[in-house]
Amino acid sequence: MHHTSSSLKKKIHMAFNIISNSMSSFIVFLLVFLFYSSNEIFVRSWDTIPKSDADLIEVALNLEYLEAEFFLYGAEGYGLDVVNPNLTEGGPSPIGGKIADLSPLIKDIIFQFGLQEVGHLRAIKSTVRGFSRPLLNISSAIFGQIINNAFGKRLEPPFDPYANDINYLIASYVIPYVGLNGYVGANPLLQKRRDEIVIPYKVSVTEFTNRISNLRNKLGREGIKDEGLVVPKELGAEGEVTGNILSANDYSLSYPRTPKEILRIVYGTGDEHVPGGFYPLGANGTIAKSYLERN
């Protein structure tokens, strides 16, 4: 086994620090890329990664499972059980996943997203021991419940993420921290339609994203760290634009979220000790399990 140079070790340490702040799947993927840098070929075994760092990566692994299943089911009507069953390690199949009524272009893009997430899962699992797929709820009902919470009322008819292109892209926005796929993929797709009215609710795409972002801020309980697709110009990048593909601070750096905040949001309960939302039984991994054990 070849050993890393001191400079590469520093890069790896920096990447771990970034993960602890942003937890985006893109950063995790970047981390694994650094592990297998073309400058030096080496293998990282599970026992060579500090446990604290591995614990943080495991939080992100929960999100990667969610993203992979949602995108694969939306595009093809099946998930990891068909595409790569070994990655599930026998974990339960998702609740409520189904094929979405997507146009050919959007379907192709979403399927590519799903396959990218499969690659991310493989990369992470080659770096940390990981765990089996947690029970996930990606049903129309859970998305409808989240949207109702975002608007503070029950929408009629209930919001169905699988109904059409617009609904599916909005649902993709609902899933927080989808990293490269979400921020560089789904958000620009929504930006092109931000003024479009979502039928039959008579509400624009922009209003949907603003409501969803506000809900995430509320659930995260740590102030404003999320913004919709349109913001006042003074809050846009360098105070020059109102479009907002990536929520960021005054220095255009992504707002940090701790594992605790992320769990509050994906559970939909605002409490890292109380599972629900996309994870009916809670997320897996040391950090998530430690909060559940205190409940």
Side-chain angles (χ1 to χ4, degrees):
M1 181 178 76
H2 298 280
H3 295 287
T4 63
S5 66
S6 60
S7 62
L8 188 56
K9 285 181 179 178
K10 289 179 181 178
K11 290 180 181 179
I12 293 172
H13 184 68
M14 289 173 63
F16 277 128
N17 288 337
I18 293 172
I19 287 177
S20 67
N21 287 331
S22 69
M23 299 304 300
S24 78
S25 61
F26 174 61
I27 295 300
V28 175
F29 192 68
L30 175 62
L31 168 67
V32 179
F33 175 78
L34 285 172
F35 278 1
Y36 298 94
S37 169
S38 59
N39 295 324
E40 295 186 64
I41 300 175
F42 61 96
V43 177
R44 296 285 296 188
S45 62
W46 292 323
D47 58 0
T48 63
I49 299 175
K51 187 176 186 308
S52 60
D53 295 335
D55 290 347
L56 290 170
I57 297 176
E58 285 186 345
V59 176
L61 180 57
N62 284 286
L63 305 180
E64 296 291 347
Y65 272 122
L66 173 62
E67 296 153 21
E69 295 291 10
F70 180 62
F71 290 137
L72 290 173
Y73 266 98
E76 298 295 323
Y78 52 77
L80 290 171
D81 288 328
V82 173
V83 176
N84 195 324
N86 289 337
L87 287 175
T88 72
E89 296 186 29
S93 298
I95 299 169
K98 64 180 181 180
I99 193 167
D101 188 7
L102 303 175
S103 64
L105 174 62
I106 299 299
K107 177 179 179 178
D108 179 64
I109 293 172
I110 296 302
F111 185 50
Q112 291 182 52
F113 287 176
L115 293 179
Q116 286 180 349
E117 295 304 329
V118 172
H120 294 180
L121 282 168
R122 289 192 296 104
I124 293 174
K125 286 194 161 216
S126 71
T127 306
V128 298
R129 188 176 300 276
F131 42 74
S132 61
R133 175 182 56 194
L135 179 63
L136 301 168
N137 187 346
I138 54 174
S139 66
S140 297
I142 200 63
F143 279 97
Q145 179 181 321
I146 292 169
I147 295 298
N148 287 345
N149 291 340
F151 277 86
K153 64 179 181 181
R154 182 178 178 84
L155 297 189
E156 292 293 346
F159 179 84
D160 181 1
Y162 300 103
N164 51 54
D165 285 356
I166 286 292
N167 283 25
Y168 193 84
L169 292 176
I170 289 173
S172 298
Y173 185 88
V174 167
I175 298 176
Y177 310 103
V178 291
L180 178 65
N181 287 348
Y183 288 135
V184 186
N187 279 14
L189 292 173
L190 280 175
Q191 278 281 358
K192 295 178 181 178
R193 304 181 180 199
R194 66 189 193 185
D195 295 325
E196 187 170 332
I197 300 301
V198 181
I199 305 300
Y201 307 111
K202 299 180 180 180
V203 176
S204 70
V205 169
T206 294
E207 180 66 14
F208 264 85
T209 63
N210 288 342
R211 297 272 189 167
I212 293 165
S213 289
N214 289 340
L215 176 63
R216 286 202 288 253
N217 286 328
K218 178 182 177 181
L219 293 173
R221 292 166 34 202
E222 294 294 340
I224 298 175
K225 296 187 177 182
D226 207 320
E227 300 164 335
L229 291 178
V230 177
V231 295
K233 191 173 183 179
E234 60 269 20
L235 297 180
E238 297 303 305
E240 295 293 331
V241 295
T242 59
N244 198 42
I245 289 177
L246 178 62
S247 296
N249 63 17
D250 290 344
Y251 299 101
S252 292
L253 299 175
S254 297
Y255 294 109
R257 286 278 193 201
T258 65
K260 184 183 299 186
E261 292 172 67
I262 292 170
L263 294 172
R264 293 169 182 167
I265 293 169
V266 296
Y267 289 171
T269 62
D271 188 337
E272 65 274 18
H273 304 95
V274 181
F278 297 120
Y279 300 86
L281 301 180
N284 282 344
T286 302
I287 292 177
K289 292 296 186 184
S290 69
Y291 290 127
L292 295 176
E293 289 169 359
R294 298 176 206 169
N295 184 20

